[in-house]
Amino acid sequence: MIRFENLKKSFRGTDVLKGLDLEVKLGDRIALVGSNGAGKTTMIRCLLGEYNYEGSVLVGGLVPRANRTEVLKRIGFVPQLPPALKMTVSQLIEFSARICDSDPQRMVELIKRLGLVMDEIKGRPFNKLSGGEKQKVLIGIALGRDSDLLVLDEPAANLDPSARQVFFSLLAERQDNNSMIISSHRLDEVAALVNRVVELDRGRIVLNDHVADRTDMASILSSEVVLHEANEAFAKTINPWKFESQDGGVTWQGQVAGPDRLRFLGILSRYTGLLKGIEMREQD
């Protein structure tokens, strides 16, 4: 489906990509990881046809740079940094649906599922939305279009836990009929979403491996956290996860999206000395 062959890209004499070779097949869900400056975003921009480069990039046999309209119709893209667009949310949705021959109402429905109220934001300029609101709109547009490739650059960075849970469910609905490239500088952020890991370091692929594909992206974990004593700082930290306590802040119960378990446990690790017990069970 996608093939990179000896892909090279330089900026002002500095080599950013140094001969990448990679093939992406239907059903591959790739975690594209590496530190800042490793070349992840440059690789994605070449795939989208935004840069000239040396070597070859093919999407379904088409060269993205020479066939941008046809290629971009096949790709749902969520950038790391939202564009500074002055058009209203409604205008952006209509424009996006028109250029990829998709149903704008489907995009609207996904945006609603992510937690936004369309009547409140549809007339607002996109560049005036909060970071989280922008991310939800862009995800709704990307996943609401007819595409067989999703390219997601730090897609959940600005999402609250509830929206992340919905986002993972949306990806689960697409996993059998799409390929996915999910870029992140931290593998633990995306590990549960993927079946393959590609790591870049200084413009080269240093790891390209398939991984166990056992996590249900739509799974929900019923969770309970028990503390030795109530703690105000912990209560503020767990509040975005919408956990509730019935005994004054000692026992907390709530739900965690399966792919978010590492993120949640990472937050709990800040309070290791305060923790008395943790239980997480996958719901049937």
Side-chain angles (χ1 to χ4, degrees):
M1 182 180 181
I2 303 169
R3 186 184 294 274
F4 300 88
E5 292 185 350
N6 197 29
L7 177 62
K8 299 179 181 179
K9 178 62 182 175
S10 300
F11 293 100
R12 298 179 180 179
T14 300
D15 295 331
V16 178
L17 299 178
K18 304 173 183 178
L20 302 187
D21 292 298
L22 182 68
E23 184 176 2
V24 182
K25 299 179 180 179
L26 184 65
D28 280 348
R29 302 193 307 278
I30 293 177
L32 183 64
V33 299
S35 60
N36 291 333
K40 304 186 302 297
T41 298
T42 300
M43 178 180 170
I44 287 173
R45 297 294 179 179
C46 291
L47 173 63
L48 298 174
E50 296 183 10
Y51 292 151
N52 290 313
Y53 48 79
E54 296 180 48
S56 173
V57 180
L58 295 175
V59 179
L62 298 175
V63 178
R65 186 71 175 174
N67 303 275
R68 288 202 70 196
T69 300
E70 292 86 349
V71 169
L72 291 179
K73 282 184 179 180
R74 302 184 61 176
I75 299 176
F77 174 53
V78 179
Q80 179 181 8
L81 299 176
L85 300 174
K86 295 183 179 180
M87 65 177 69
T88 67
V89 172
S90 289
Q91 290 170 336
L92 176 58
I93 293 171
E94 292 292 336
F95 172 77
S96 301
R98 187 166 59 251
I99 62 174
C100 63
D101 299 323
S102 296
D103 181 4
Q105 189 55 39
R106 190 168 65 184
M107 297 177 180
V108 169
E109 290 304 315
L110 295 190
I111 292 170
K112 289 180 179 178
R113 284 179 62 180
L114 286 161
L116 295 182
V117 179
M118 283 302 300
D119 286 342
E120 296 179 357
I121 66 166
K122 63 182 181 181
R124 293 169 57 188
F126 178 78
N127 64 350
K128 298 298 183 182
L129 301 181
S130 69
E133 289 170 335
K134 290 176 183 176
Q135 199 80 347
K136 292 173 184 178
V137 170
L138 293 177
I139 290 172
I141 289 174
L143 272 63
R145 63 192 296 173
D146 298 318
S147 63
D148 50 17
L149 171 62
L150 296 176
V151 180
L152 313 171
D153 196 352
E154 302 282 1
N158 292 313
L159 298 183
D160 56 83
S162 295
R164 287 171 66 90
Q165 183 172 314
V166 174
F167 172 59
F168 299 142
S169 296
L170 294 176
L171 291 185
E173 294 170 9
R174 302 285 293 267
Q175 69 183 80
D176 294 331
N177 301 311
N178 280 240
S179 299
M180 303 181 192
I181 298 176
I182 306 175
S183 176
S184 178
H185 68 285
R186 292 180 55 182
L187 179 57
D188 62 345
E189 288 285 322
V190 296
L193 303 176
V194 302
N195 54 21
R196 190 174 168 192
V197 176
V198 174
E199 182 177 0
L200 295 186
D201 183 38
R202 299 181 182 180
R204 300 185 188 276
I205 294 177
V206 295
L207 176 68
N208 181 4
D209 200 8
H210 290 272
V211 297
D213 187 14
R214 297 174 182 167
T215 300
D216 179 359
M217 287 193 286
S219 65
I220 302 296
L221 304 174
S222 293
S223 306
E224 180 178 271
V225 179
V226 182
L227 309 180
H228 286 288
E229 59 185 28
N231 181 276
E232 184 177 351
F234 180 85
K236 290 181 179 179
T237 298
I238 206 170
N239 181 62
W241 295 82
K242 297 186 178 179
F243 272 55
E244 295 183 353
S245 177
Q246 304 297 328
D247 59 2
V250 174
T251 303
W252 294 86
Q253 295 177 326
Q255 296 181 337
V256 176
D260 247 353
R261 71 184 75 195
L262 284 179
R263 182 184 180 94
F264 182 70
L265 291 173
I267 288 174
L268 295 185
S269 68
R270 306 174 195 171
Y271 300 92
T272 303
L274 188 64
L275 296 176
K276 185 176 182 179
I278 305 170
E279 183 176 7
M280 303 179 78
R281 291 182 177 272
E282 190 167 314
Q283 295 180 1
D284 296 329

